[in-house]
Amino acid sequence: MQKIIFPKSKIIKGLAWLGEHIPYPEEEIKGDTYPMTWADDDRIYTSSGDPHWGDSKDGLDIEAIDGGPEDYKITQLNGMTAYTGFGGLGPKPTGMICVNKNLYFAFQNFCGMQIPPITCASQHGSDAVIIVSNQVSSPWKGLVWTPIHANIKEPTFPGYLFGGPAFINHGKNNENARDDYVYAVSGDQWDNGSNLRLGRVPNDSITRGDAWEWVCSFDICGNPAWTRDLQQAIPILSLHRSLGLPEMVYLAGIKRYLLFTWRLHKDFSPYDGTDLIVFESPEPWGPFSLVHYEEYWQGKDFNPYCPRLPLKWFNQDKCEGWLQFSGSWRPFEEGNPYYRSNVRPFRLDMY
């Protein structure tokens, strides 16, 4: 794999681990991906891809996380049993956000298996859809989603250009949002993609594909212009075959955006290890500076992916928190202990 050569951050010296990883203790609760949000009711809501417990054995589900990073409890709220198909054959979660007490959920692969744009050996990620759990019609978050699967006629974002939208979370119930828009980033395939694009939408129109717009150019001062035509969207960050499904959050304490991504050492392989890559930026569109690059993060055997930063578990004053991530999806018959939620404490060292 090529080294990550990128300007170093002048704000954040780096990321330091404060301890070893902690696997979720209930070994029968398996899954991966876990996009998450901190909701107004103080719960963390997430979705597991290919959950191997509860009402689901493939596709995805909706889960709630209660408690702190060292004693949290995962509860399956909705098995989403209409969402079927293992791996790229079925829908997989990409984003979750709570806005005005409503949960919004993004998933990809609505149209089934497609050819990935960068390399056919990688897992594709395309044809994304956004649905909502509205607190007016369903006060129990995550139980009822609109539209139901049978009523979804086409993707919100057809194709791969915005095929894996990850909402940018700004705190509990998105309380530190920069304006009246919701923002999301997306790579161009599930693993080892090359281009990251940024979209935004008024926060009262999140499920409407025609209300979204994307960065299409920058002026001489670095300010973005926006377009409603997804085909005109340009990357805000390009790293050849080094962008896995992304995670971006806003850290109000230091007024910076933190972007997490990862890459597999071998395309769509659960055996060959991954690299962790962390950037920071003053705006969701950049400019990006490198905070942390770690080759064979967690070791080759662990093969971790999809790092997430639960903002509920991040101390803004100390710049300390817990990273959550998934582990190798190799067959369980091989004694795989990694395919479940894992957490690890870390600190951001500031200049």
Side-chain angles (χ1 to χ4, degrees), residues 190 262-266 268-275 296-306 325-330 336 338-339:
W190 185 83
W262 51 282
R263 64 180 182 183
L264 295 168
H265 274 256
K266 184 178 179 181
F268 199 55
S269 168
Y271 296 98
D272 294 277
T274 67
D275 297 343
Y296 288 105
W297 164 48
Q298 291 289 131
K300 184 177 179 180
D301 197 49
F302 200 112
N303 210 85
Y305 55 101
C306 289
F325 48 91
S326 308
S328 175
W329 65 91
R330 66 173 63 97
N336 179 6
Y338 309 115
Y339 185 71

PDB file of all heavy atoms in Angstrom, residues 190 262-266 268-275 296-306 325-330 336 338-339:
ATOM      1  N   TRP A 190     -17.623   0.922  -0.945  1.00  0.00           N
ATOM      2  CA  TRP A 190     -17.615   0.596   0.486  1.00  0.00           C
ATOM      3  C   TRP A 190     -16.206   0.559   1.042  1.00  0.00           C
ATOM      4  O   TRP A 190     -15.916   1.121   2.086  1.00  0.00           O
ATOM      5  CB  TRP A 190     -18.320  -0.742   0.707  1.00  0.00           C
ATOM      6  CG  TRP A 190     -18.466  -1.121   2.141  1.00  0.00           C
ATOM      7  CD1 TRP A 190     -19.445  -0.698   3.014  1.00  0.00           C
ATOM      8  CD2 TRP A 190     -17.610  -1.981   2.894  1.00  0.00           C
ATOM      9  NE1 TRP A 190     -19.238  -1.258   4.263  1.00  0.00           N
ATOM     10  CE2 TRP A 190     -18.121  -2.049   4.207  1.00  0.00           C
ATOM     11  CE3 TRP A 190     -16.455  -2.712   2.597  1.00  0.00           C
ATOM     12  CZ2 TRP A 190     -17.535  -2.812   5.212  1.00  0.00           C
ATOM     13  CZ3 TRP A 190     -15.869  -3.480   3.588  1.00  0.00           C
ATOM     14  CH2 TRP A 190     -16.407  -3.516   4.883  1.00  0.00           C
ATOM     15  N   TRP A 262     -10.492   4.518   6.500  1.00  0.00           N
ATOM     16  CA  TRP A 262      -9.697   3.303   6.659  1.00  0.00           C
ATOM     17  C   TRP A 262      -9.532   2.668   5.286  1.00  0.00           C
ATOM     18  O   TRP A 262     -10.263   2.957   4.345  1.00  0.00           O
ATOM     19  CB  TRP A 262     -10.426   2.326   7.598  1.00  0.00           C
ATOM     20  CG  TRP A 262     -11.852   2.097   7.196  1.00  0.00           C
ATOM     21  CD1 TRP A 262     -12.920   2.946   7.413  1.00  0.00           C
ATOM     22  CD2 TRP A 262     -12.365   1.017   6.419  1.00  0.00           C
ATOM     23  NE1 TRP A 262     -14.059   2.445   6.846  1.00  0.00           N
ATOM     24  CE2 TRP A 262     -13.760   1.255   6.238  1.00  0.00           C
ATOM     25  CE3 TRP A 262     -11.805  -0.145   5.899  1.00  0.00           C
ATOM     26  CZ2 TRP A 262     -14.574   0.390   5.523  1.00  0.00           C
ATOM     27  CZ3 TRP A 262     -12.617  -1.022   5.188  1.00  0.00           C
ATOM     28  CH2 TRP A 262     -13.991  -0.737   5.016  1.00  0.00           C
ATOM     29  N   ARG A 263      -8.537   1.809   5.185  1.00  0.00           N
ATOM     30  CA  ARG A 263      -8.345   1.078   3.932  1.00  0.00           C
ATOM     31  C   ARG A 263      -7.875  -0.337   4.230  1.00  0.00           C
ATOM     32  O   ARG A 263      -7.136  -0.588   5.175  1.00  0.00           O
ATOM     33  CB  ARG A 263      -7.353   1.792   3.023  1.00  0.00           C
ATOM     34  CG  ARG A 263      -5.936   1.875   3.575  1.00  0.00           C
ATOM     35  CD  ARG A 263      -5.025   2.598   2.611  1.00  0.00           C
ATOM     36  NE  ARG A 263      -3.648   2.656   3.108  1.00  0.00           N
ATOM     37  CZ  ARG A 263      -2.661   3.286   2.484  1.00  0.00           C
ATOM     38  NH1 ARG A 263      -2.894   3.925   1.342  1.00  0.00           N
ATOM     39  NH2 ARG A 263      -1.437   3.281   2.987  1.00  0.00           N
ATOM     40  N   LEU A 264      -8.343  -1.262   3.417  1.00  0.00           N
ATOM     41  CA  LEU A 264      -7.939  -2.661   3.525  1.00  0.00           C
ATOM     42  C   LEU A 264      -6.642  -2.875   2.764  1.00  0.00           C
ATOM     43  O   LEU A 264      -6.447  -2.328   1.663  1.00  0.00           O
ATOM     44  CB  LEU A 264      -9.025  -3.565   2.945  1.00  0.00           C
ATOM     45  CG  LEU A 264     -10.383  -3.581   3.673  1.00  0.00           C
ATOM     46  CD1 LEU A 264     -11.418  -4.286   2.818  1.00  0.00           C
ATOM     47  CD2 LEU A 264     -10.254  -4.274   5.022  1.00  0.00           C
ATOM     48  N   HIS A 265      -5.759  -3.697   3.286  1.00  0.00           N
ATOM     49  CA  HIS A 265      -4.502  -3.984   2.589  1.00  0.00           C
ATOM     50  C   HIS A 265      -4.725  -4.846   1.355  1.00  0.00           C
ATOM     51  O   HIS A 265      -3.911  -4.821   0.423  1.00  0.00           O
ATOM     52  CB  HIS A 265      -3.508  -4.645   3.538  1.00  0.00           C
ATOM     53  CG  HIS A 265      -2.711  -3.659   4.320  1.00  0.00           C
ATOM     54  ND1 HIS A 265      -1.402  -3.347   4.040  1.00  0.00           N
ATOM     55  CD2 HIS A 265      -3.056  -2.863   5.364  1.00  0.00           C
ATOM     56  CE1 HIS A 265      -0.965  -2.424   4.871  1.00  0.00           C
ATOM     57  NE2 HIS A 265      -1.958  -2.107   5.688  1.00  0.00           N
ATOM     58  N   LYS A 266      -5.821  -5.598   1.330  1.00  0.00           N
ATOM     59  CA  LYS A 266      -6.211  -6.342   0.146  1.00  0.00           C
ATOM     60  C   LYS A 266      -7.693  -6.110  -0.055  1.00  0.00           C
ATOM     61  O   LYS A 266      -8.478  -6.225   0.878  1.00  0.00           O
ATOM     62  CB  LYS A 266      -5.914  -7.832   0.315  1.00  0.00           C
ATOM     63  CG  LYS A 266      -6.217  -8.657  -0.918  1.00  0.00           C
ATOM     64  CD  LYS A 266      -5.845 -10.126  -0.703  1.00  0.00           C
ATOM     65  CE  LYS A 266      -6.166 -10.964  -1.932  1.00  0.00           C
ATOM     66  NZ  LYS A 266      -5.820 -12.391  -1.727  1.00  0.00           N
ATOM     67  N   PHE A 268     -11.400  -5.935  -0.209  1.00  0.00           N
ATOM     68  CA  PHE A 268     -12.483  -6.723   0.371  1.00  0.00           C
ATOM     69  C   PHE A 268     -11.999  -8.034   0.983  1.00  0.00           C
ATOM     70  O   PHE A 268     -12.610  -9.094   0.825  1.00  0.00           O
ATOM     71  CB  PHE A 268     -13.594  -6.976  -0.652  1.00  0.00           C
ATOM     72  CG  PHE A 268     -14.894  -7.358   0.005  1.00  0.00           C
ATOM     73  CD1 PHE A 268     -15.465  -6.549   0.975  1.00  0.00           C
ATOM     74  CD2 PHE A 268     -15.525  -8.543  -0.322  1.00  0.00           C
ATOM     75  CE1 PHE A 268     -16.655  -6.903   1.599  1.00  0.00           C
ATOM     76  CE2 PHE A 268     -16.720  -8.911   0.302  1.00  0.00           C
ATOM     77  CZ  PHE A 268     -17.275  -8.092   1.260  1.00  0.00           C
ATOM     78  N   SER A 269     -10.892  -7.944   1.718  1.00  0.00           N
ATOM     79  CA  SER A 269     -10.362  -9.130   2.393  1.00  0.00           C
ATOM     80  C   SER A 269     -10.493  -8.977   3.900  1.00  0.00           C
ATOM     81  O   SER A 269     -10.084  -7.960   4.463  1.00  0.00           O
ATOM     82  CB  SER A 269      -8.889  -9.339   2.044  1.00  0.00           C
ATOM     83  OG  SER A 269      -8.308 -10.306   2.898  1.00  0.00           O
ATOM     84  N   PRO A 270     -11.022  -9.999   4.607  1.00  0.00           N
ATOM     85  CA  PRO A 270     -11.115  -9.945   6.061  1.00  0.00           C
ATOM     86  C   PRO A 270      -9.881 -10.514   6.763  1.00  0.00           C
ATOM     87  O   PRO A 270      -9.892 -10.700   7.970  1.00  0.00           O
ATOM     88  CB  PRO A 270     -12.338 -10.812   6.344  1.00  0.00           C
ATOM     89  CG  PRO A 270     -12.290 -11.862   5.283  1.00  0.00           C
ATOM     90  CD  PRO A 270     -11.723 -11.187   4.062  1.00  0.00           C
ATOM     91  N   TYR A 271      -8.813 -10.762   5.992  1.00  0.00           N
ATOM     92  CA  TYR A 271      -7.651 -11.457   6.547  1.00  0.00           C
ATOM     93  C   TYR A 271      -6.361 -10.640   6.549  1.00  0.00           C
ATOM     94  O   TYR A 271      -5.408 -11.033   7.220  1.00  0.00           O
ATOM     95  CB  TYR A 271      -7.368 -12.730   5.741  1.00  0.00           C
ATOM     96  CG  TYR A 271      -8.451 -13.762   5.798  1.00  0.00           C
ATOM     97  CD1 TYR A 271      -9.386 -13.845   4.767  1.00  0.00           C
ATOM     98  CD2 TYR A 271      -8.552 -14.657   6.854  1.00  0.00           C
ATOM     99  CE1 TYR A 271     -10.383 -14.812   4.794  1.00  0.00           C
ATOM    100  CE2 TYR A 271      -9.548 -15.615   6.895  1.00  0.00           C
ATOM    101  CZ  TYR A 271     -10.462 -15.689   5.860  1.00  0.00           C
ATOM    102  OH  TYR A 271     -11.459 -16.635   5.895  1.00  0.00           O
ATOM    103  N   ASP A 272      -6.273  -9.550   5.806  1.00  0.00           N
ATOM    104  CA  ASP A 272      -4.976  -8.950   5.497  1.00  0.00           C
ATOM    105  C   ASP A 272      -4.690  -7.619   6.180  1.00  0.00           C
ATOM    106  O   ASP A 272      -3.705  -6.960   5.874  1.00  0.00           O
ATOM    107  CB  ASP A 272      -4.851  -8.790   3.974  1.00  0.00           C
ATOM    108  CG  ASP A 272      -4.806 -10.128   3.277  1.00  0.00           C
ATOM    109  OD1 ASP A 272      -3.719 -10.722   3.198  1.00  0.00           O
ATOM    110  OD2 ASP A 272      -5.873 -10.597   2.834  1.00  0.00           O
ATOM    111  N   GLY A 273      -5.543  -7.192   7.111  1.00  0.00           N
ATOM    112  CA  GLY A 273      -5.259  -5.993   7.881  1.00  0.00           C
ATOM    113  C   GLY A 273      -5.731  -4.707   7.225  1.00  0.00           C
ATOM    114  O   GLY A 273      -6.025  -4.650   6.024  1.00  0.00           O
ATOM    115  N   THR A 274      -5.819  -3.659   8.048  1.00  0.00           N
ATOM    116  CA  THR A 274      -6.283  -2.359   7.581  1.00  0.00           C
ATOM    117  C   THR A 274      -5.413  -1.242   8.148  1.00  0.00           C
ATOM    118  O   THR A 274      -4.649  -1.444   9.094  1.00  0.00           O
ATOM    119  CB  THR A 274      -7.740  -2.089   8.023  1.00  0.00           C
ATOM    120  OG1 THR A 274      -7.773  -1.947   9.452  1.00  0.00           O
ATOM    121  CG2 THR A 274      -8.660  -3.218   7.629  1.00  0.00           C
ATOM    122  N   ASP A 275      -5.538  -0.067   7.559  1.00  0.00           N
ATOM    123  CA  ASP A 275      -4.888   1.145   8.053  1.00  0.00           C
ATOM    124  C   ASP A 275      -5.961   2.123   8.528  1.00  0.00           C
ATOM    125  O   ASP A 275      -7.027   2.235   7.909  1.00  0.00           O
ATOM    126  CB  ASP A 275      -4.059   1.827   6.959  1.00  0.00           C
ATOM    127  CG  ASP A 275      -2.913   0.965   6.462  1.00  0.00           C
ATOM    128  OD1 ASP A 275      -2.558  -0.004   7.168  1.00  0.00           O
ATOM    129  OD2 ASP A 275      -2.389   1.252   5.367  1.00  0.00           O
ATOM    130  N   TYR A 296      -1.637  -1.212   9.689  1.00  0.00           N
ATOM    131  CA  TYR A 296      -2.042  -2.434  10.373  1.00  0.00           C
ATOM    132  C   TYR A 296      -2.608  -2.124  11.759  1.00  0.00           C
ATOM    133  O   TYR A 296      -2.253  -2.722  12.758  1.00  0.00           O
ATOM    134  CB  TYR A 296      -0.877  -3.418  10.480  1.00  0.00           C
ATOM    135  CG  TYR A 296      -0.521  -4.041   9.150  1.00  0.00           C
ATOM    136  CD1 TYR A 296       0.622  -3.637   8.462  1.00  0.00           C
ATOM    137  CD2 TYR A 296      -1.348  -5.004   8.589  1.00  0.00           C
ATOM    138  CE1 TYR A 296       0.939  -4.199   7.238  1.00  0.00           C
ATOM    139  CE2 TYR A 296      -1.032  -5.571   7.360  1.00  0.00           C
ATOM    140  CZ  TYR A 296       0.109  -5.164   6.692  1.00  0.00           C
ATOM    141  OH  TYR A 296       0.417  -5.719   5.469  1.00  0.00           O
ATOM    142  N   TRP A 297      -3.538  -1.162  11.768  1.00  0.00           N
ATOM    143  CA  TRP A 297      -4.234  -0.765  12.989  1.00  0.00           C
ATOM    144  C   TRP A 297      -4.887  -1.991  13.640  1.00  0.00           C
ATOM    145  O   TRP A 297      -5.568  -2.765  12.981  1.00  0.00           O
ATOM    146  CB  TRP A 297      -5.269   0.288  12.582  1.00  0.00           C
ATOM    147  CG  TRP A 297      -6.348   0.585  13.544  1.00  0.00           C
ATOM    148  CD1 TRP A 297      -6.220   0.836  14.870  1.00  0.00           C
ATOM    149  CD2 TRP A 297      -7.751   0.695  13.238  1.00  0.00           C
ATOM    150  NE1 TRP A 297      -7.456   1.096  15.419  1.00  0.00           N
ATOM    151  CE2 TRP A 297      -8.407   1.017  14.445  1.00  0.00           C
ATOM    152  CE3 TRP A 297      -8.507   0.566  12.083  1.00  0.00           C
ATOM    153  CZ2 TRP A 297      -9.786   1.204  14.512  1.00  0.00           C
ATOM    154  CZ3 TRP A 297      -9.869   0.755  12.155  1.00  0.00           C
ATOM    155  CH2 TRP A 297     -10.500   1.070  13.353  1.00  0.00           C
ATOM    156  N   GLN A 298      -4.659  -2.167  14.933  1.00  0.00           N
ATOM    157  CA  GLN A 298      -5.164  -3.283  15.730  1.00  0.00           C
ATOM    158  C   GLN A 298      -4.553  -4.635  15.338  1.00  0.00           C
ATOM    159  O   GLN A 298      -4.957  -5.676  15.878  1.00  0.00           O
ATOM    160  CB  GLN A 298      -6.694  -3.386  15.649  1.00  0.00           C
ATOM    161  CG  GLN A 298      -7.446  -2.276  16.329  1.00  0.00           C
ATOM    162  CD  GLN A 298      -7.367  -2.341  17.840  1.00  0.00           C
ATOM    163  OE1 GLN A 298      -7.079  -1.362  18.505  1.00  0.00           O
ATOM    164  NE2 GLN A 298      -7.607  -3.513  18.400  1.00  0.00           N
ATOM    165  N   GLY A 299      -3.603  -4.658  14.429  1.00  0.00           N
ATOM    166  CA  GLY A 299      -2.991  -5.908  14.014  1.00  0.00           C
ATOM    167  C   GLY A 299      -3.686  -6.530  12.822  1.00  0.00           C
ATOM    168  O   GLY A 299      -4.877  -6.337  12.589  1.00  0.00           O
ATOM    169  N   LYS A 300      -2.919  -7.298  12.081  1.00  0.00           N
ATOM    170  CA  LYS A 300      -3.415  -7.891  10.835  1.00  0.00           C
ATOM    171  C   LYS A 300      -4.594  -8.821  11.065  1.00  0.00           C
ATOM    172  O   LYS A 300      -5.558  -8.837  10.300  1.00  0.00           O
ATOM    173  CB  LYS A 300      -2.272  -8.638  10.156  1.00  0.00           C
ATOM    174  CG  LYS A 300      -2.622  -9.230   8.799  1.00  0.00           C
ATOM    175  CD  LYS A 300      -1.400  -9.876   8.181  1.00  0.00           C
ATOM    176  CE  LYS A 300      -1.733 -10.501   6.824  1.00  0.00           C
ATOM    177  NZ  LYS A 300      -0.551 -11.133   6.207  1.00  0.00           N
ATOM    178  N   ASP A 301      -4.554  -9.606  12.126  1.00  0.00           N
ATOM    179  CA  ASP A 301      -5.582 -10.602  12.361  1.00  0.00           C
ATOM    180  C   ASP A 301      -6.939  -9.973  12.670  1.00  0.00           C
ATOM    181  O   ASP A 301      -7.982 -10.479  12.258  1.00  0.00           O
ATOM    182  CB  ASP A 301      -5.154 -11.521  13.508  1.00  0.00           C
ATOM    183  CG  ASP A 301      -5.949 -12.809  13.542  1.00  0.00           C
ATOM    184  OD1 ASP A 301      -6.069 -13.461  12.485  1.00  0.00           O
ATOM    185  OD2 ASP A 301      -6.466 -13.160  14.615  1.00  0.00           O
ATOM    186  N   PHE A 302      -6.917  -8.859  13.379  1.00  0.00           N
ATOM    187  CA  PHE A 302      -8.154  -8.183  13.784  1.00  0.00           C
ATOM    188  C   PHE A 302      -8.894  -7.623  12.581  1.00  0.00           C
ATOM    189  O   PHE A 302     -10.124  -7.660  12.518  1.00  0.00           O
ATOM    190  CB  PHE A 302      -7.815  -7.055  14.762  1.00  0.00           C
ATOM    191  CG  PHE A 302      -8.969  -6.591  15.604  1.00  0.00           C
ATOM    192  CD1 PHE A 302      -8.975  -6.823  16.968  1.00  0.00           C
ATOM    193  CD2 PHE A 302     -10.046  -5.925  15.050  1.00  0.00           C
ATOM    194  CE1 PHE A 302     -10.022  -6.396  17.758  1.00  0.00           C
ATOM    195  CE2 PHE A 302     -11.093  -5.488  15.824  1.00  0.00           C
ATOM    196  CZ  PHE A 302     -11.089  -5.730  17.180  1.00  0.00           C
ATOM    197  N   ASN A 303      -8.144  -7.060  11.621  1.00  0.00           N
ATOM    198  CA  ASN A 303      -8.727  -6.516  10.387  1.00  0.00           C
ATOM    199  C   ASN A 303      -9.870  -5.531  10.664  1.00  0.00           C
ATOM    200  O   ASN A 303     -10.991  -5.674  10.161  1.00  0.00           O
ATOM    201  CB  ASN A 303      -9.248  -7.659   9.519  1.00  0.00           C
ATOM    202  CG  ASN A 303      -9.197  -7.357   8.030  1.00  0.00           C
ATOM    203  OD1 ASN A 303      -8.178  -7.550   7.387  1.00  0.00           O
ATOM    204  ND2 ASN A 303     -10.289  -6.861   7.479  1.00  0.00           N
ATOM    205  N   PRO A 304      -9.654  -4.471  11.502  1.00  0.00           N
ATOM    206  CA  PRO A 304     -10.751  -3.576  11.893  1.00  0.00           C
ATOM    207  C   PRO A 304     -11.187  -2.658  10.757  1.00  0.00           C
ATOM    208  O   PRO A 304     -10.429  -2.396   9.815  1.00  0.00           O
ATOM    209  CB  PRO A 304     -10.135  -2.772  13.035  1.00  0.00           C
ATOM    210  CG  PRO A 304      -8.679  -2.725  12.696  1.00  0.00           C
ATOM    211  CD  PRO A 304      -8.370  -4.056  12.067  1.00  0.00           C
ATOM    212  N   TYR A 305     -12.407  -2.152  10.860  1.00  0.00           N
ATOM    213  CA  TYR A 305     -12.925  -1.242   9.839  1.00  0.00           C
ATOM    214  C   TYR A 305     -14.079  -0.433  10.417  1.00  0.00           C
ATOM    215  O   TYR A 305     -14.575  -0.706  11.507  1.00  0.00           O
ATOM    216  CB  TYR A 305     -13.358  -2.008   8.582  1.00  0.00           C
ATOM    217  CG  TYR A 305     -14.360  -3.110   8.801  1.00  0.00           C
ATOM    218  CD1 TYR A 305     -15.711  -2.924   8.520  1.00  0.00           C
ATOM    219  CD2 TYR A 305     -13.950  -4.349   9.267  1.00  0.00           C
ATOM    220  CE1 TYR A 305     -16.634  -3.944   8.705  1.00  0.00           C
ATOM    221  CE2 TYR A 305     -14.871  -5.376   9.447  1.00  0.00           C
ATOM    222  CZ  TYR A 305     -16.211  -5.169   9.176  1.00  0.00           C
ATOM    223  OH  TYR A 305     -17.124  -6.177   9.352  1.00  0.00           O
ATOM    224  N   CYS A 306     -14.495   0.581   9.665  1.00  0.00           N
ATOM    225  CA  CYS A 306     -15.604   1.466  10.039  1.00  0.00           C
ATOM    226  C   CYS A 306     -15.425   2.088  11.430  1.00  0.00           C
ATOM    227  O   CYS A 306     -16.263   1.896  12.327  1.00  0.00           O
ATOM    228  CB  CYS A 306     -16.938   0.751   9.946  1.00  0.00           C
ATOM    229  SG  CYS A 306     -17.474   0.411   8.260  1.00  0.00           S
ATOM    230  N   PHE A 325     -15.568   0.465  16.685  1.00  0.00           N
ATOM    231  CA  PHE A 325     -15.241  -0.059  15.367  1.00  0.00           C
ATOM    232  C   PHE A 325     -15.649  -1.522  15.263  1.00  0.00           C
ATOM    233  O   PHE A 325     -15.965  -2.186  16.255  1.00  0.00           O
ATOM    234  CB  PHE A 325     -13.746   0.108  15.062  1.00  0.00           C
ATOM    235  CG  PHE A 325     -12.826  -0.345  16.163  1.00  0.00           C
ATOM    236  CD1 PHE A 325     -12.334  -1.639  16.209  1.00  0.00           C
ATOM    237  CD2 PHE A 325     -12.449   0.536  17.175  1.00  0.00           C
ATOM    238  CE1 PHE A 325     -11.490  -2.050  17.220  1.00  0.00           C
ATOM    239  CE2 PHE A 325     -11.595   0.138  18.195  1.00  0.00           C
ATOM    240  CZ  PHE A 325     -11.118  -1.167  18.218  1.00  0.00           C
ATOM    241  N   SER A 326     -15.631  -2.000  14.039  1.00  0.00           N
ATOM    242  CA  SER A 326     -15.994  -3.374  13.732  1.00  0.00           C
ATOM    243  C   SER A 326     -14.722  -4.190  13.508  1.00  0.00           C
ATOM    244  O   SER A 326     -13.642  -3.644  13.306  1.00  0.00           O
ATOM    245  CB  SER A 326     -16.859  -3.417  12.473  1.00  0.00           C
ATOM    246  OG  SER A 326     -17.954  -2.534  12.576  1.00  0.00           O
ATOM    247  N   GLY A 327     -14.862  -5.545  13.529  1.00  0.00           N
ATOM    248  CA  GLY A 327     -13.723  -6.424  13.300  1.00  0.00           C
ATOM    249  C   GLY A 327     -14.007  -7.445  12.221  1.00  0.00           C
ATOM    250  O   GLY A 327     -15.142  -7.623  11.786  1.00  0.00           O
ATOM    251  N   SER A 328     -12.982  -8.154  11.815  1.00  0.00           N
ATOM    252  CA  SER A 328     -12.987  -9.062  10.665  1.00  0.00           C
ATOM    253  C   SER A 328     -14.274  -9.871  10.518  1.00  0.00           C
ATOM    254  O   SER A 328     -14.791 -10.433  11.477  1.00  0.00           O
ATOM    255  CB  SER A 328     -11.807 -10.028  10.780  1.00  0.00           C
ATOM    256  OG  SER A 328     -11.862 -10.993   9.739  1.00  0.00           O
ATOM    257  N   TRP A 329     -14.747  -9.946   9.270  1.00  0.00           N
ATOM    258  CA  TRP A 329     -15.959 -10.709   8.966  1.00  0.00           C
ATOM    259  C   TRP A 329     -15.637 -12.128   8.477  1.00  0.00           C
ATOM    260  O   TRP A 329     -16.475 -12.786   7.875  1.00  0.00           O
ATOM    261  CB  TRP A 329     -16.807  -9.960   7.934  1.00  0.00           C
ATOM    262  CG  TRP A 329     -16.162  -9.799   6.577  1.00  0.00           C
ATOM    263  CD1 TRP A 329     -16.272 -10.639   5.517  1.00  0.00           C
ATOM    264  CD2 TRP A 329     -15.327  -8.717   6.141  1.00  0.00           C
ATOM    265  NE1 TRP A 329     -15.556 -10.160   4.440  1.00  0.00           N
ATOM    266  CE2 TRP A 329     -14.963  -8.984   4.797  1.00  0.00           C
ATOM    267  CE3 TRP A 329     -14.836  -7.560   6.746  1.00  0.00           C
ATOM    268  CZ2 TRP A 329     -14.139  -8.130   4.053  1.00  0.00           C
ATOM    269  CZ3 TRP A 329     -14.009  -6.716   6.016  1.00  0.00           C
ATOM    270  CH2 TRP A 329     -13.675  -6.990   4.685  1.00  0.00           C
ATOM    271  N   ARG A 330     -14.430 -12.616   8.757  1.00  0.00           N
ATOM    272  CA  ARG A 330     -14.091 -13.986   8.350  1.00  0.00           C
ATOM    273  C   ARG A 330     -15.084 -14.975   8.963  1.00  0.00           C
ATOM    274  O   ARG A 330     -15.727 -14.671   9.973  1.00  0.00           O
ATOM    275  CB  ARG A 330     -12.658 -14.338   8.752  1.00  0.00           C
ATOM    276  CG  ARG A 330     -12.426 -14.404  10.239  1.00  0.00           C
ATOM    277  CD  ARG A 330     -11.021 -14.939  10.542  1.00  0.00           C
ATOM    278  NE  ARG A 330      -9.986 -14.074  10.039  1.00  0.00           N
ATOM    279  CZ  ARG A 330      -9.334 -13.157  10.759  1.00  0.00           C
ATOM    280  NH1 ARG A 330      -9.643 -12.988  12.040  1.00  0.00           N
ATOM    281  NH2 ARG A 330      -8.395 -12.436  10.240  1.00  0.00           N
ATOM    282  N   ASN A 336     -13.722 -16.839  14.856  1.00  0.00           N
ATOM    283  CA  ASN A 336     -13.601 -15.387  14.711  1.00  0.00           C
ATOM    284  C   ASN A 336     -14.182 -14.656  15.930  1.00  0.00           C
ATOM    285  O   ASN A 336     -15.394 -14.681  16.135  1.00  0.00           O
ATOM    286  CB  ASN A 336     -14.338 -14.949  13.440  1.00  0.00           C
ATOM    287  CG  ASN A 336     -14.302 -13.453  13.217  1.00  0.00           C
ATOM    288  OD1 ASN A 336     -13.636 -12.720  13.934  1.00  0.00           O
ATOM    289  ND2 ASN A 336     -15.012 -12.998  12.202  1.00  0.00           N
ATOM    290  N   TYR A 338     -13.796 -11.309  16.409  1.00  0.00           N
ATOM    291  CA  TYR A 338     -13.688  -9.878  16.139  1.00  0.00           C
ATOM    292  C   TYR A 338     -14.961  -9.238  15.599  1.00  0.00           C
ATOM    293  O   TYR A 338     -15.142  -8.017  15.689  1.00  0.00           O
ATOM    294  CB  TYR A 338     -12.548  -9.622  15.145  1.00  0.00           C
ATOM    295  CG  TYR A 338     -11.254 -10.264  15.540  1.00  0.00           C
ATOM    296  CD1 TYR A 338     -10.695 -11.287  14.773  1.00  0.00           C
ATOM    297  CD2 TYR A 338     -10.570  -9.861  16.689  1.00  0.00           C
ATOM    298  CE1 TYR A 338      -9.499 -11.888  15.133  1.00  0.00           C
ATOM    299  CE2 TYR A 338      -9.374 -10.450  17.056  1.00  0.00           C
ATOM    300  CZ  TYR A 338      -8.847 -11.462  16.277  1.00  0.00           C
ATOM    301  OH  TYR A 338      -7.668 -12.060  16.635  1.00  0.00           O
ATOM    302  N   TYR A 339     -15.836 -10.047  14.978  1.00  0.00           N
ATOM    303  CA  TYR A 339     -16.992  -9.514  14.264  1.00  0.00           C
ATOM    304  C   TYR A 339     -18.094  -9.117  15.254  1.00  0.00           C
ATOM    305  O   TYR A 339     -19.077  -9.828  15.465  1.00  0.00           O
ATOM    306  CB  TYR A 339     -17.511 -10.554  13.261  1.00  0.00           C
ATOM    307  CG  TYR A 339     -18.630 -10.053  12.376  1.00  0.00           C
ATOM    308  CD1 TYR A 339     -18.382  -9.124  11.374  1.00  0.00           C
ATOM    309  CD2 TYR A 339     -19.930 -10.502  12.539  1.00  0.00           C
ATOM    310  CE1 TYR A 339     -19.402  -8.665  10.562  1.00  0.00           C
ATOM    311  CE2 TYR A 339     -20.959 -10.062  11.733  1.00  0.00           C
ATOM    312  CZ  TYR A 339     -20.689  -9.135  10.748  1.00  0.00           C
ATOM    313  OH  TYR A 339     -21.707  -8.680   9.939  1.00  0.00           O
TER     314      TYR A 339
END
